[in-house]
Each structure stands twice: as structure tokens, then as C-alpha cells.
Amino acid sequence: MSTLTSVSGFPRVGCNRELKKVIEAYWKGAVSLEEGRATAKELRAKHWTLQKNAGINLIPSNDFSYYDQVLDTAILLGAVPQRYRDLNFDNAEDTLFAIGRGYQGEKGDVTALPMKKWFTTNYHYIVPELDDASALQLSSTKPFDEFEEAKALGIHTKPVLVGPYTFLKLARTSAAEELELNDELLEATAAVYVEILERFAQLGASWVQIDEPYLVLDKEDGDVAAFQALYEPILAARSGDVKLLLNTYFGNIGDVYETVNALGFDGVALDFIEGREENLAALKKFGVNDATTIFAGVVNGRNIWRNNYAVSLDVINTVRSVTDRVAVSTASSLLHVPFSTAGEEALGEDVLKHFAFASEKLGEVRDLANLADAADDEVLRSNQALFDGSRVSADPAVQTRLDALTAADFKREPARAERQALQREALNLPLLPTTTIGSFPQTKEVRAERAKLRKGELTREAYDTFIKQQIDEVIRHQEEIGLDVLVHGEFERNDMVEYFGQNLNGFLFTKNAWVQSYGTRCVKPPIVWGDVSRANPITVEWSAYAQSRTDRVMKGMLTGPVTILNWSWPREDITHERQTQQLALAIRDEVLDLEAAGIKVIQIDEAALREKLPLRRSDWHSQYLDWAIPAFRLVHSAVKPSTQIHTHMCYSKFNDIIRDIDAMDADVISFEASRGDLVVLDAIEAANFETEAGPGVYDIHSPRIPSQAEIEERIGEILDKIDASKVWINPDCGLKTRGNAETWPSLENLVKAAQAVRTRVV
Ligand code: GLN
Ligand code: ZN
């Protein structure tokens, strides 16, 4: 029998982001729900057909989502908080969108559920809210409908579900606490999955994939028992010909493999990209249950480089030395890579041949299964040619600079407390200074002018004039509402990472390589191709211009090296540490030029620092923080004591690395907290956090306008934990995805709230 091929999940947005476009049009009232559904259906059909034609045996269904698969799971299980039910929409999609984005209108006023990053990716899931196990019951037909929809096209799919263990570990109570995995909850959850499997048995499904990425994390007391308690009834209830595939990814399950293996799943998918050593060791140590096929995740779902077939075959053969029941699979869902390299021919064949996006990875899965069945020297040879010799030559200037670095380059003097005093004097800011995170709404007009520039319909000069007008306007507006530290608005930037990439040596760019970030939002990461350095000043002219237009402090705005790397496609031929240091030197040049141009406050965004924190605690420092934090210090260590360095993180969950964040040695940090829990405030208090902090006082991911009272209340919560002299007042992230209509009233309320609180504190 030939080796089975399986794909864990496929990107759903469409090769031209059709899904994003139609959903956003629906939100604006420009198309009907029916039109949206029709587009979604066409996309599903197209993606299934593509996989079928590529020779994939187990094609995923229910990997489609209008917003987020975790939110879909919450709805499937009936975990929908009453306040969203009370909106009484007459269709499922509007309820879904209200949970994902909040809703403010004739039916009510609700905030969205919090959003968090999906493990170490830049994808965000909606955090399910669940207070009462008795609410759990099968409450949607989505997975079954999609299975049937594919069946009607003659495609027999493998339905995909977010698993019960991962779901419960990610869900929170309405008080933002972790769920207590008691018997009642475990039983109620398992019962719904049993029912789902029964339905699939009736529908004639042969494989059902249950995703349990949470299994690659460290286990807390009771976790393994909870996992067993969930799966014993589910496995026992298998009926018909349904086979159950336990899908794990983003790391290894070495610590629970023995338990998992004993449970007797029909299939266990292991990640041999991120968890290779530990997973192989576990297989060798414990063997493979007679009932189980190992799905070897050898095609990387997280990067865009071509698969090295020799390496993958080596893994497949090692697995085969333990069991002959082996399938070939992607190592994770392909959701995290772009759709196809087709259309990127401008990069040139010599470059493009090194890349495999989702569609091309299908071919790799097929090739590897074929190669596992029968040697094909031709296929192997042409693949090997991609990895023989070096792809690019090193830049000697970059190497020399890196080699010359000493410990002093990673340390800023004098100590922070001393700097903070100097800065207070130099900047002359009020208590609880107000600011924003950098970007202001990127209106249609701004995007249209940029497109014209790109197409050559607008001269550089005319474009620059336009951007300056935007800057002037945004400054005037900020002054009017009374913000303290201003920003220029980032109108010149398409994206906080791509923009810097475009102005650095060593990067390549695609036209259309979008990946989903959250909801309908997609990003287009640049590719690190060679050694990185800065050719010319990047932002200096804009920041200097902006500062010349106001008497208030203008904040310079940069993206930090860790974030640039994390939101790019990194090289696989040199370490992430080395790539980050190259980036740090490039941004350091920019910091010093901004300072020389008279910019007194410089924000270096490390929005993505937390997201690549290794999933296993034992790897946190050795594999990441030990070089990521010093790389940030390398960026700003040479500025004057009076220059204030800010950083920003799009994530509140850094209470567990709070000391490392403090060790970045920034003077001020702003972060997302309004949608998250308040735990981080406790952590800041407990850690004697030295960095001044601006926990976001409202959620910019939602179009709703927070009231002044609401923000005052929020500031009150912050001041309960952090000394007022160390608090900044700001939204929780950049405003570029918002419209002006909601942005300005929100900021006005923010400033008024800060002013009101000031009078009470002083
Ligand atoms: N300065 C960036 C902005 O305001 C930060 C964005 C982010 O954190 N994602 O858009
Ligand atoms: Zn942010």
C-alpha cells in the first residue's frame, strides 16, 4: 500500500484574500450575507480541489473559518456567553462577528472576547469564555455541513476539530481565570466530542483529526490525567469506520508520548520540524501502539523555504525503523504560510526555486510520500541541488561589525533610575502623560496614494508632499485634543516590518504572500535572504519634519530587531540569534541618527517579542531570551541619558518574563492589556518593575468607542497597582487599522480621562 498523505489545515483566506475582502464588505454593508457565504463556499471548493489534484489523501475540512477556528469551536461546543446570545441576531455569522470584534449598535453594546496569539505564531485566536460546564452541548452543524459540502463535490475530507484538551486549556472564565479541569467539566466536554464523532460516523467520515497543540507545552499537575479523562470516553465511543487522528504540532510531546501511545489512537501526528529530536527519541523509547499510524510532520507549515528531502526522508526512515505504519504530513496547518508562489515570478527563477508556499508544500508532501515508497534519484537530485553550496555570499562588512561587538555595546549607561530623572526634566511632561502607539488610521486615501506611487502614477515628490500633509493634519489634531507626546502617524509605512525590510539590505519582498493574522487581517512578511544592514537613514526625515511642526515632544518610531525577525521569514542557514544581531546593528544606526536629528523620545516596537518565546519553559532562556533581550539593548545602548527610549508590545501576557522585559532596559513600555487580564499589573507591582508602563486603556482591535468614565475606571485599576509617577496613558496598540470616525472620539475620551484623574491624584 502506498504511503498516505495528509494535510493538517490549509489557508482559508484565498489566493487573493477573497474571504477578507468579502467579509469586510459585508461589515460595511456593501454586500449581503448571502454573497459572503457564496464566496466562502467557492473558496472551500477551490482549496479542496487543489489538494485533491495535488494527490493529498487526507484533505482537511472545517479548517475554514469566517474569523477564527477557536471561536468556531467555542460556538460548536455551546460556550457562547449570554451577553452575545442576548443580541439575538438571526444568523450565526453576526453573533460570531460580535464575539470576535465587539458590537455597538441597535441590538446592544458588547466588547469582544480577548484575543491572544496562537502559540508561537502571529495568528491570534479568540479566548473562549466559559463559566459553567452545563452550558456545553453540541450547538452548531458547521463541521458536518462542510464535510457534506465537500462530499457533494466528490471529495471525501478529513474533518478537523480543535481538541477538547487544547480548548479547555485556552478557555478562561469570565473573571479571566483558567478553568478548573474538574470531572464535571471534563465529562461534559468529552460528551460533546463523542456526539460529534457519532455524527461523523453516520456521515461516513473515515478520519477525524483532533488538534491538540497544547500537548506540546509543559504540563501542570493534573494535565495528563485530564487529557486521559477526556480521551478515554472519546476513543471508546468510536463507531463505524471513523478513525481518530490526534494531531500535535509546534513542538514535541516527548513528556506524554507514553500515555498518548497507550491510549491507542488510530493516528498520532508528530511535529518533526520543531519537535524532531524529542519526538524521535520518544518513538524509539516507547515504540508505537499496534493500532496507531504515525503521521510524520516533515513539511514545515511555518516557513516558506523548500523542504530538504534528504533530511525529511531520513526522519521518515527513522520512524519506519520503529513502525511500518507511517503517513506523510505537514508539520502543522499551512494556515501560517502564504497561498502560492505563483505570481511571484518577479523574484526570478533563481530565487523562487528556494520557496514553497502552501500550494507548493502540497507537492512536497506528495513527493516525500512517493520517495518513501520508491527511490527516485532524479527528484532527489534536483532537490539536493537547492541545498548544495551556499545560497548567498556573506557580507564582509556586516561580519566585521558583529565580530567587533563587546559586552559594553549591550549595556546602556547610566542606570535607569538616573536616566528617568534626567528625562523628566528634559521632557517636562505632566503626571500620567498621554500618548499613542504610533500609527494613525491608514485611510483609503493614504493607501490609494501609495498604490499610485508604486504604479508610477505619482512622483516621489508628490507622494512626499501628500504624506507631509497627513503628518501636519495628524499633529494639529493631536495638539487639539491635548495629547502630550505626539507621533507622526506612520502614514509612509505600509507595515511596521515590511517598511523597514524595504529599506534594509538583505531582504526580499513578495507581491501577494499574505498570511492571516487575526480575523480578516493579513500580513505580508518580508523574506530575509542575505546578511542585513542599513543602507541609508530610513525614518529620520519624516520624524525630523514632524518635530519641526510642533512644540510638543515628537516620538520617533522604529521597529525592533526581534520583531522584524519574528515577523519576517527568517533564513534557515544561519541562526536566529545572528540574524537578530544584524538587524539590531541596522536599527541602532537609525536610533543614533534620530537622536542626532533632535528626536528626544524614540519608541522601538517589540510587538512580537513574546510570541516567539519557546513553548517549553526550559527553552525560554537558552533558546531565546538570552540573545533576544541583549539584542534589544544593543539597539539603544549608545543614546544619551536624556533620550527616552520607549518600547511597545502587543501582548499582555508577559508576567512570567517580567524581569526579562525589565532587562531590555527601556525607559517606558506600552502594552496591550485592555482586552487581556489584569494579571500583568500584579506582576509589575510584584517585580518592582523599573520601566515606566503604559498598559493600554482601551482596545483598538474593536471599532467601539470607550467612554471617558470607562477609561477613568481603567486608569484607576492601573493606579491601584503602579505608582502614578510611572504610569503612561495610551491605547493598547497602533491605530492604523481603525477609522478616523472612532479614533478621535476615543482619544479625546482618553485625554479627558487622564486629565480628570490627574486632578484627583495630585
Ligand atoms: N508603532 C506601531 C503602530 O502603531 C505598532 C504596531 C503594533 O504594535 N502592532 O502601528
Ligand atoms: Zn501593538
Side-chain angles (χ1 to χ4, degrees):
M1 225 184 68
S2 53
T3 300
L4 268 184
T5 50
S6 179
V7 166
S8 210
F10 197 77
R12 53 210 179 209
V13 192
C15 63
N16 291 311
R17 290 179 295 157
E18 293 88 341
L19 186 64
K20 167 200 175 70
K21 289 170 190 166
V22 81
I23 294 176
E24 289 179 357
Y26 171 65
W27 290 342
K28 288 195 192 113
V31 304
S32 69
L33 186 55
E34 286 317 312
E35 284 170 86
R37 287 177 177 161
T39 303
K41 189 170 174 187
E42 274 166 36
L43 287 171
R44 288 190 293 263
K46 188 176 160 193
H47 299 165
W48 288 324
T49 307
L50 187 78
Q51 294 177 77
K52 185 179 176 195
N53 293 343
I56 301 302
N57 305 118
L58 304 186
I59 299 169
S61 61
N62 198 42
D63 54 344
F64 173 83
S65 178
Y66 280 108
Y67 204 86
D68 164 47
Q69 69 270 13
V70 179
L71 175 52
D72 290 344
T73 310
I75 293 171
L76 177 69
L77 303 182
V80 173
Q82 192 58 38
R83 59 188 181 280
Y84 302 108
R85 297 179 191 268
D86 288 344
L87 297 171
N88 270 317
F89 283 112
D90 56 12
N91 65 77
E93 289 87 345
D94 282 336
T95 308
L96 175 106
F97 294 141
I99 305 174
R101 329 169 54 222
Y103 174 86
Q104 198 169 38
E106 61 203 13
K107 288 177 179 291
D109 185 354
V110 288
T111 56
L113 282 184
M115 194 163 68
K116 292 227 166 106
K117 283 184 178 162
W118 179 243
F119 302 93
T120 47
T121 73
N122 181 28
Y123 176 80
H124 302 62
Y125 68 95
I126 298 290
V127 182
E129 181 180 304
L130 181 66
D131 286 316
D132 181 6
S134 69
L136 295 175
Q137 52 175 315
L138 182 54
S139 304
S140 151
T141 56
K142 177 181 180 291
F144 315 117
D145 297 343
E146 288 177 17
F147 179 76
E148 299 256 75
E149 189 180 301
K151 199 155 73 175
L153 298 168
I155 301 177
H156 186 75
T157 56
K158 168 197 61 175
V160 174
L161 303 162
V162 174
Y165 176 72
T166 297
F167 179 80
L168 294 178
K169 294 297 283 183
L170 296 179
R172 293 290 177 265
T173 66
S174 51
E177 278 156 6
E178 290 181 16
L179 304 190
E180 187 202 326
L181 303 185
N182 57 34
D183 292 347
E184 189 200 357
L185 181 61
L186 297 172
E187 274 164 34
T189 311
V192 187
Y193 281 83
V194 166
E195 205 180 331
I196 294 171
L197 285 187
E198 279 164 1
R199 284 290 301 276
F200 276 125
Q202 287 159 12
L203 295 175
S206 18
W207 282 93
V208 172
Q209 171 183 312
I210 303 203
D211 285 5
E212 291 289 11
Y214 212 94
L215 219 47
V216 310
L217 269 68
D218 294 327
K219 313 298 177 293
E220 293 164 33
D221 282 350
D223 281 353
V224 177
F227 181 82
Q228 272 174 303
L230 286 166
Y231 277 95
E232 273 159 7
I234 295 173
L235 286 161
R238 266 171 304 180
S239 61
D241 290 327
V242 180
K243 295 191 178 69
L244 200 58
L245 167 60
L246 176 78
N247 190 29
T248 68
Y249 47 90
F250 299 153
N252 76 79
I253 61 163
D255 55 346
V256 279
Y257 177 77
E258 190 180 7
T259 306
V260 165
N261 189 43
L263 283 167
F265 286 92
D266 303 286
V268 172
L270 299 174
D271 182 341
F272 290 115
I273 299 289
E274 293 185 76
R276 181 176 303 159
E277 302 315 321
E278 298 85 347
N279 278 338
L280 284 177
L283 278 183
K284 287 185 199 156
K285 181 158 177 205
F286 299 108
V288 176
N289 193 309
D290 288 343
T292 307
T293 299
I294 294 296
F295 284 62
V298 286
V299 172
N300 194 339
R302 305 280 306 276
N303 210 343
I304 52 153
W305 300 89
R306 285 295 308 269
N307 190 276
N308 187 328
Y309 288 174
V311 172
S312 298
L313 283 172
D314 204 40
V315 170
I316 293 169
N317 287 330
T318 309
V319 180
R320 274 193 169 161
S321 68
V322 184
T323 173
D324 51 11
R325 292 175 309 281
V326 181
V328 174
S329 174
T330 57
S332 69
S333 169
L334 299 174
L335 178 67
H336 311 291
V337 290
F339 192 87
S340 166
T341 61
E344 304 294 347
E345 288 73 18
L347 288 172
E349 174 49 28
D350 275 350
V351 168
L352 218 49
K353 70 182 182 198
H354 290 281
F355 300 146
F357 298 174
S359 307
E360 292 73 35
K361 285 177 192 285
L362 301 174
E364 294 187 333
V365 171
R366 184 69 262 163
D367 274 357
L368 285 165
N370 290 347
L371 288 166
D373 289 335
D376 183 331
D377 291 344
E378 192 38 47
V379 172
L380 259 183
R381 225 190 340 262
S382 72
N383 178 266
Q384 203 47 53
L386 297 170
F387 301 93
D388 288 342
S390 71
R391 190 174 42 74
V392 282
S393 46
D395 179 337
V398 173
Q399 300 302 323
T400 310
R401 245 185 122 183
L402 285 172
D403 293 342
L405 290 175
T406 67
D409 295 311
F410 294 87
K411 189 166 182 351
R412 185 172 171 200
E413 301 284 4
R416 181 163 32 202
E418 203 175 312
R419 288 175 347 229
Q420 280 166 341
L422 287 169
Q423 291 162 14
R424 225 163 278 144
E425 202 174 47
L427 299 171
N428 191 25
L429 295 171
L431 190 72
L432 305 175
T434 54
T435 190
T436 61
I437 309 302
S439 61
F440 268 84
Q442 290 254 334
T443 56
K444 236 196 216 129
E445 196 193 0
V446 173
R447 286 199 304 266
E449 294 299 292
R450 188 176 309 124
K452 279 194 218 154
L453 174 74
R454 202 172 48 234
K455 291 186 202 138
E457 292 164 17
L458 197 71
T459 63
R460 167 58 68 175
E461 216 183 351
Y463 175 75
D464 287 356
T465 307
F466 168 78
I467 296 289
K468 284 182 179 163
Q469 282 162 1
Q470 296 291 312
I471 294 177
D472 288 349
E473 217 170 293
V474 87
I475 291 176
R476 188 182 48 77
H477 226 135
Q478 291 174 86
E479 285 175 340
E480 242 166 51
I481 65 168
L483 282 155
D484 300 305
V485 173
L486 310 195
V487 298
H488 74 285
E490 301 182 23
F491 301 108
E492 76 287 3
R493 306 180 191 178
N494 37 1
D495 172 271
M496 64 184 286
V497 167
E498 190 177 47
Y499 178 74
F500 285 91
Q502 274 163 349
N503 288 286
L504 294 170
N505 300 318
F507 277 88
L508 290 179
F509 303 89
T510 60
K511 282 207 177 73
N512 204 28
W514 296 95
V515 285
Q516 198 174 353
S517 170
Y518 70 86
T520 57
R521 179 144 175 81
C522 298
V523 293
K524 188 154 63 71
I527 299 165
V528 188
W529 177 258
D531 284 346
V532 174
S533 60
R534 189 189 71 153
N536 295 299
I538 304 170
T539 65
V540 179
E541 219 184 295
W542 295 121
S543 288
Y545 172 76
Q547 182 64 85
S548 76
R549 307 292 284 175
T550 181
D551 294 333
R552 303 197 178 200
V553 181
M554 177 60 58
K555 182 159 68 164
M557 207 56 61
L558 303 173
T559 303
V562 184
T563 296
I564 296 183
L565 193 77
N566 286 352
W567 284 350
S568 300
W569 302 111
R571 291 165 70 171
E572 291 186 337
D573 57 341
I574 64 171
T575 62
H576 290 191
E577 173 177 7
R578 194 78 171 166
Q579 292 173 72
T580 307
Q581 286 184 352
Q582 295 182 1
L583 281 158
L585 286 176
I587 303 299
R588 176 184 170 101
D589 294 343
E590 188 72 9
V591 166
L592 294 175
D593 283 350
L594 278 173
E595 182 182 62
I599 303 300
K600 297 191 175 69
V601 176
I602 302 171
Q603 179 172 310
I604 306 159
D605 291 328
E606 281 295 13
L609 189 130
R610 178 62 168 75
E611 88 182 31
K612 287 283 191 298
L613 187 69
L615 295 174
R616 299 270 186 187
R617 198 175 267 267
S618 54
D619 298 335
W620 281 5
H621 283 92
S622 62
Q623 311 221 349
Y624 188 64
L625 295 171
D626 284 351
W627 54 261
I629 302 296
F632 184 85
R633 290 200 302 262
L634 177 57
V635 175
H636 69 90
S637 62
V639 297
K640 291 186 290 207
S642 61
T643 299
Q644 190 171 61
I645 297 294
H646 289 218
T647 188
H648 165 72
M649 283 182 198
C650 290
Y651 208 83
S652 63
K653 201 187 166 235
F654 54 69
N655 37 307
D656 41 9
I657 52 166
I658 197 94
R659 286 173 208 285
D660 301 281
I661 305 284
D662 222 14
M664 292 165 76
D665 205 18
D667 301 302
V668 181
I669 181 169
S670 62
F671 53 89
E672 178 184 321
S674 58
R675 235 188 187 200
D677 42 56
L678 299 173
V679 182
V680 67
L681 298 182
D682 293 322
I684 285 180
E685 188 183 27
N688 268 323
F689 198 61
E690 275 189 38
T691 320
E692 294 178 13
V697 295
Y698 79 87
D699 172 15
I700 65 92
H701 302 88
S702 157
R704 81 180 271 291
I705 298 169
S707 67
Q708 179 183 332
E710 204 174 315
I711 300 178
E712 279 187 45
E713 193 179 318
R714 173 85 190 125
I715 297 175
E717 287 169 358
I718 296 169
L719 294 181
D720 283 344
K721 308 282 178 182
I722 313 178
D723 190 80
S725 66
K726 292 208 149 192
V727 173
W728 286 67
I729 308 298
N730 45 258
D732 71 346
C733 195
L735 298 160
K736 93 184 240 200
T737 56
R738 291 269 61 91
N740 280 309
E742 68 262 18
T743 294
W744 292 105
S746 301
L747 289 177
E748 220 176 308
N749 290 345
L750 176 147
V751 173
K752 284 194 199 135
Q755 286 166 348
V757 177
R758 263 174 217 158
T759 59
R760 294 201 289 269
V761 178
V762 193

